[in-house]
Amino acid sequence: MVLFYPHFYCQLLAVFCRLQREEVGYVWGMDLLPFGRLPAHRARRFVPAGANLGDWAQIAPLFDRLEEAAPACDTAARLEHWLIDWSELNAALDEESSKRYIAMTCHTDNPEAEQAYLEFVEKIEPQVKPRQFRLAQRYVAHPLRPQLPPGRYQVFDRDTQVQVELFRPENVPLETEEARLSQQYQKLSGALTVQFRGEEKTLVQMGRYLEEPDRAVRQEAWELVAKRRLQEAEQFDEIFDQLVKLRAQIARNAGFENYRDYVFRKLCRFDYTAADCERFHEAVAAEVMPIVRRLQGERCGKLGVTALRPWDLAVDPLGRPPLRPFEQVDQMVGHTQQIFEQLDAELARGFRRMQDLRLLDLANRKGKAPGGYQSTLAEARVPFIFMNAVGLQRDVETILHEAGHAFHALATEEEDLHAYRSAPIEFCEVASMSMELLGNEFLEAFYAPAEANRARRTHLEGIVNIFPWIATVDAFQHWLYTHSGHTREERAAAWLDLMDRFGGEVDWSGYEKARANLWHRQLHIFIHPFYYIEYGIAQLGALQVWANSKRDKFGALQSYKAALGLGGSRPLPELFSAAGCKFEFSRSTLAPLVDLVRTELGKL
Ligand SMILES: [Zn+2]
């Protein structure tokens, strides 16, 4: 997982430069960061070296200066210079925010770290947002903008223009209300607990019981969670009813017929349409569902059951204990390094550099936030990886995934426009998901051959199984926002149609209500509308990179690295093409990839 930053956020409202400890008056606890003083990629020329980026009184004059300077740019070269100044400020704010986030997640038990992060989010970000917008307006309205080199600024221009064009003052209170409802959803779902074996457990904690070899335990755990969610079904529906109405209004205010069309523009989806997404759904139904059904049948046989029930999907079908790829995190880092050495010398150097700069905090320990992420220190232009390794195969997948993101950050080091040092999510995840597939070729660094194959099989089955869920969540949202005034019953019926189309051979009898309400657990539907298909698009890219590497390992890696080096400077189809992939989501793209997965699974 990466931190959720919608693309426009990266482009315009970014909150992420370098702080020199000695030069900064206000220090919120820089000793809480795992890495030491990081060398700046480039010396600052606009943001004062000693500026305190946690103090709005010091930040505001920088925005004032940029706003005043824009109209005074009387040559294209001066306007470009202005863009670089703006970039420098964005990178400085971006890095400040990242450092505070990193410190907080590495020390959840330190109130100072939490307070420093919250102060930034609550006091700085809301003030930054409207100022970024004003700078975007100055840029879009600038008479010399058409004289900038078009190839260089095409992507930046269209992204910036969209944010200015979609802004409606009357939508500001509606967006605040939307954020409030989103928070209500998070609060409601985050607070759900069940009593299991005399202990109170969160629904996330209950997930591990679905991996229990004892089927009765799995069923009991699954039923408890399903029942608990159903008790709140009315509330989830109520929140969603309000969200859907609000979103329709936001779209109308911006001059769109429906919220889907509005969001496609807002998310800067210039290079694919709603019809392309529908083609993706069709391709998944036609090409992926047969293999999903076949794998489900095999699972049924291995488990020795007559029908697969919802609680039979996560357990190892042969009842084996979990794989143990390493004992100590140092071993994980060492073996991962070995994998990169076998893959590519440049990537291996990048990972080594991260170790030398202490840009990894990988071991699980008390006082760390859960999960894993990669974050970029935007002014030093180096990546940082956070995770909670405990010695499981999923840790190996996570480090390979996050390293892919880190390689992406390292590849754009020389790019001076901050907005271009990150790519749209559809391509960011190509960087990371490709690295999982490419790295998995060398899992013998961790395992004996049979175990390595078991890990590969689990990974490939995971890829196959995620496609239908992505299609379901995406298709459902297309339906939701193009059927205004729908009733709850119609909504449930639309969901059930999709469950029939993409659910495979799972027997839900006796649990029809849980099945009809399954979408309540998918946070994106409530909080990040339409943000999900990106993972499907990226997986198509990653599978193509992997397929290319099967034919020509050296060539595939060269293209992969070249594409990463473009950052966000080119439109998506060009990023994909540089990586040696088609940016196309129909059956003709998917079919050979599914064939490859089927062939590879046959060898394992
Ligand atoms: Zn990711």
Side-chain angles (χ1 to χ4, degrees), residues 200-241:
E200 187 180 22
K201 303 251 183 211
T202 65
L203 303 195
V204 175
Q205 287 170 330
M206 290 302 288
R208 60 169 287 242
Y209 297 103
L210 296 177
E211 296 174 25
E212 275 286 322
D214 185 340
R215 197 180 194 202
V217 173
R218 297 201 301 274
Q219 180 172 357
E220 185 191 350
W222 185 88
E223 278 178 347
L224 266 176
V225 170
K227 210 170 124 200
R228 186 67 194 88
R229 285 192 192 279
L230 276 180
Q231 283 169 356
E232 307 300 336
E234 182 72 24
Q235 283 211 61
F236 284 124
D237 266 314
E238 181 59 41
I239 294 173
F240 196 74
D241 283 344

Side-chain angles (χ1 to χ4, degrees), residues 19 22 57 60 74 91 106 110 144 226 288 316 341 440 455 510 516 584 593:
L19 277 186
E22 304 82 325
D74 51 4
C106 292
N110 186 311
L144 293 177
V288 183
D316 180 73
E341 305 281 353
N440 271 0
E584 207 277 330
L593 301 172

Side-chain angles (χ1 to χ4, degrees), residues 7 9 119 160 220 229 256 286 350 357 381 395 439 454 470 472 484 492 507-508 554:
H7 188 41
Y9 191 82
E119 271 190 22
T160 311
E220 185 191 350
R229 285 192 192 279
F256 288 81
L357 291 171
R381 303 190 192 177
D395 300 329
R454 178 182 158 191
I470 294 171
T472 306
S484 68
D507 177 6
W508 285 79
F554 179 77

Side-chain angles (χ1 to χ4, degrees), residues 1-3 401-402 405 425 428-429 432-433 436 535:
M1 290 290 280
V2 281
L3 281 178
H401 181 98
E402 302 304 343
H405 286 308
I425 192 87
C428 285
E429 295 297 323
S432 55
M433 289 171 170
E436 289 180 45
Y535 290 96

Side-chain angles (χ1 to χ4, degrees), residues 189-470:
S189 48
L192 298 182
T193 58
V194 292
Q195 285 293 327
F196 183 69
R197 307 274 150 98
E199 273 180 69
E200 187 180 22
K201 303 251 183 211
T202 65
L203 303 195
V204 175
Q205 287 170 330
M206 290 302 288
R208 60 169 287 242
Y209 297 103
L210 296 177
E211 296 174 25
E212 275 286 322
D214 185 340
R215 197 180 194 202
V217 173
R218 297 201 301 274
Q219 180 172 357
E220 185 191 350
W222 185 88
E223 278 178 347
L224 266 176
V225 170
K227 210 170 124 200
R228 186 67 194 88
R229 285 192 192 279
L230 276 180
Q231 283 169 356
E232 307 300 336
E234 182 72 24
Q235 283 211 61
F236 284 124
D237 266 314
E238 181 59 41
I239 294 173
F240 196 74
D241 283 344
Q242 294 183 49
L243 278 169
V244 91
K245 259 186 232 142
L246 260 179
R247 288 172 179 159
Q249 188 60 46
I250 289 173
R252 271 196 301 273
N253 289 348
F256 288 81
E257 198 184 304
N258 63 60
Y259 184 70
R260 177 180 72 175
D261 297 349
Y262 169 78
V263 159
F264 266 64
R265 190 106 188 124
K266 179 95 180 166
L267 293 177
C268 299
R269 291 182 176 175
F270 303 105
D271 306 305
Y272 60 100
T273 62
D276 290 318
C277 297
E278 281 157 20
R279 268 188 284 281
F280 173 80
H281 310 151
E282 282 157 22
V284 172
E287 301 297 334
V288 183
M289 288 319 294
I291 183 170
V292 166
R293 290 200 170 87
R294 205 194 79 196
L295 291 172
Q296 286 174 337
E298 286 175 17
R299 169 171 279 271
C300 223
K302 287 178 185 165
L303 281 169
V305 297
T306 47
L308 271 192
R309 310 297 318 251
W311 48 86
D312 293 329
L313 307 174
V315 64
D316 180 73
L318 298 174
R320 293 165 293 189
L323 288 169
R324 288 272 165 208
F326 58 90
E327 292 292 328
Q328 302 294 328
V329 164
D330 287 352
Q331 292 169 320
M332 179 181 83
V333 173
H335 295 333
T336 305
Q337 181 70 38
Q338 273 175 27
I339 290 179
F340 295 142
E341 305 281 353
Q342 292 177 80
L343 209 49
D344 179 84
E346 188 183 347
L347 298 180
R349 276 198 302 277
F351 193 65
R352 174 75 63 199
R353 188 170 151 213
M354 292 187 71
Q355 293 163 60
D356 294 344
L357 291 171
R358 287 181 281 134
L359 293 165
L360 305 168
D361 188 337
L362 308 178
N364 171 259
R365 60 168 190 273
K366 198 169 168 283
K368 257 178 97 166
Y373 64 83
Q374 180 273 331
S375 173
T376 301
L377 298 152
E379 207 173 14
R381 303 190 192 177
V382 290
F384 169 77
I385 298 177
F386 172 97
M387 61 182 277
N388 280 281
V390 292
L392 295 173
Q393 168 55 22
R394 71 157 183 265
D395 300 329
V396 179
E397 282 176 23
T398 304
I399 188 71
L400 291 171
H401 181 98
E402 302 304 343
H405 286 308
F407 295 146
H408 208 172
L410 289 172
T412 60
E413 236 180 330
E414 299 304 324
E415 169 61 63
D416 286 334
L417 204 58
H418 174 248
Y420 284 175
R421 289 205 292 277
S422 56
I425 192 87
E426 290 89 342
F427 193 72
C428 285
E429 295 297 323
V430 175
S432 55
M433 289 171 170
S434 300
M435 201 39 65
E436 289 180 45
L437 285 159
L438 297 172
N440 271 0
E441 301 281 316
F442 303 99
L443 279 181
E444 281 75 5
F446 283 94
Y447 297 112
E451 292 179 312
N453 282 342
R454 178 182 158 191
R456 291 185 187 112
R457 166 167 279 276
T458 308
H459 184 246
L460 291 177
E461 286 186 358
I463 291 176
V464 167
N465 286 322
I466 196 71
F467 274 119
W469 183 248
I470 294 171

Side-chain angles (χ1 to χ4, degrees), residues 544-564:
Q544 292 181 75
V545 170
W546 184 52
N548 295 343
S549 82
K550 296 264 177 204
R551 288 187 293 268
D552 169 13
K553 182 181 156 219
F554 179 77
L557 271 156
Q558 291 307 110
S559 303
Y560 168 84
K561 290 192 294 180
L564 262 52

Side-chain angles (χ1 to χ4, degrees), residues 489-537:
E489 290 70 31
E490 288 164 340
R491 186 156 76 206
W495 173 259
L496 286 171
D497 280 348
L498 290 166
M499 289 292 289
D500 287 343
R501 192 177 175 200
F502 295 112
E505 306 296 328
V506 180
D507 177 6
W508 285 79
S509 50
Y511 302 94
E512 287 75 10
K513 239 181 139 187
R515 185 172 182 247
N517 288 288
L518 200 62
W519 63 275
H520 287 171
R521 71 170 193 198
Q522 189 65 45
L523 162 134
H524 298 74
I525 296 174
F526 288 80
I527 298 187
H528 306 303
F530 285 97
Y531 173 80
Y532 210 59
I533 194 161
E534 287 86 343
Y535 290 96
I537 296 172

